[in-house]
Amino acid sequence: MSEITAITPQVKDKTRCNIFVDGRFYCGLTLEAAVRSRLKAGQTIDPARLAEIQLESERGTALDKALHFIAATQKTEKQIREYLAGKGYLPAVSDYVLQKMSEYGFLDDGQYARRYAEAAVKRKGARLIRAELKAKGVSDEHISAALDGLEGEAETAKKLLSKYLRGKEADRQTLYKAYRYLIGKGFDGDTAREAVAAFGDTGEEE
């Protein structure tokens, strides 16, 4: 069991309050839910009970917030979960929201990965795209499927290289720097070497 050590009104939303358990912020609740459940500072409570209270009273609000969050651009499951946690929602509420969003067709990490890769390949290489998708919480399976057969990487490398070399003398040192530039943009060694080969030889044998 834990102790509710404080209940304070939220600064940006006077209809909600922050619940502190054992001296630390635990979750957010509507004032109505807190009053209805007779929560008060000094009260001993099972954290699981707080999760139940929040799920019962705020699952609809949490779902609305999540849908608004993805209104502009599609998000991954991890991004939505982190967003809801930042709003003070507990895992039980996030699980409910993610389940509903998946049922409604608003949550599909596989589709997100494909669209992201197709757009990103116009600016960077597959290795960097993989790392970015991984950071967004996309599974290795979805990432591999999105990158399998991805077209346009070689063309992007050549375009970036052309811009990088504009106004520069294409000597070996400059071409080697250009090669490293492409590697930094997420292109593999073969793709980078192929792009540089059109301008000269870097001497790079990786």
Side-chain angles (χ1 to χ4, degrees):
M1 299 293 283
S2 300
E3 180 184 342
I4 296 177
T5 47
I7 300 177
T8 62
Q10 292 188 358
V11 176
K12 294 183 179 180
D13 188 346
K14 299 302 182 181
T15 68
R16 295 177 58 79
C17 61
N18 294 323
I19 307 296
F20 291 81
V21 174
D22 296 333
R24 295 183 299 179
F25 173 75
Y26 189 75
C27 69
L29 278 177
T30 62
L31 288 173
E32 179 184 359
V35 172
R36 185 172 62 250
S37 301
R38 300 179 181 178
L39 301 181
K40 59 183 179 180
Q43 176 182 351
T44 300
I45 193 169
D46 184 346
R49 176 54 186 153
L50 283 175
E52 291 176 1
I53 293 171
Q54 190 185 66
L55 180 60
E56 292 170 1
S57 65
E58 299 194 64
R59 57 188 181 184
T61 301
L63 180 58
D64 287 343
K65 287 183 181 295
L67 292 175
H68 180 73
F69 179 56
I70 68 168
T73 59
Q74 189 176 7
K75 301 293 192 301
T76 65
E77 178 178 329
K78 178 184 178 183
Q79 289 174 315
I80 295 171
R81 191 176 290 279
E82 290 177 343
Y83 169 78
L84 291 173
K87 293 293 185 181
Y89 292 107
L90 297 171
V93 175
S94 295
D95 290 342
Y96 168 83
V97 169
L98 291 169
Q99 178 185 342
K100 287 299 181 183
M101 293 181 73
S102 181
E103 291 175 359
Y104 297 155
F106 294 130
L107 179 63
D108 186 336
D109 279 6
Q111 182 186 75
Y112 176 94
R114 290 192 299 274
R115 290 180 176 176
Y116 186 92
E118 289 169 359
V121 75
K122 299 175 183 177
R123 306 184 306 277
K124 61 195 72 173
R127 289 199 304 185
L128 183 54
I129 296 172
R130 177 179 291 276
E132 291 175 345
L133 286 172
K134 188 73 173 178
K136 294 176 183 295
V138 179
S139 70
D140 290 335
E141 180 182 1
H142 286 321
I143 294 174
S144 294
L147 296 179
D148 185 30
L150 186 65
E151 299 178 353
E153 187 180 14
E155 290 76 9
T156 296
K158 292 174 183 177
K159 288 179 181 178
L160 290 175
L161 184 62
S162 179
K163 182 180 292 186
Y164 178 85
L165 292 173
R166 190 175 300 159
K168 299 177 183 177
E169 182 179 352
D171 55 32
R172 176 166 290 193
Q173 182 178 11
T174 299
L175 289 176
Y176 178 72
K177 289 181 179 179
Y179 170 85
R180 300 311 304 177
Y181 167 76
L182 290 179
I183 294 296
K185 284 290 186 179
F187 298 94
D188 61 37
D190 289 341
T191 302
R193 277 192 293 272
E194 182 181 341
V196 172
F199 295 85
D201 180 18
T202 66
E204 178 59 49
E205 299 295 338
E206 287 185 4

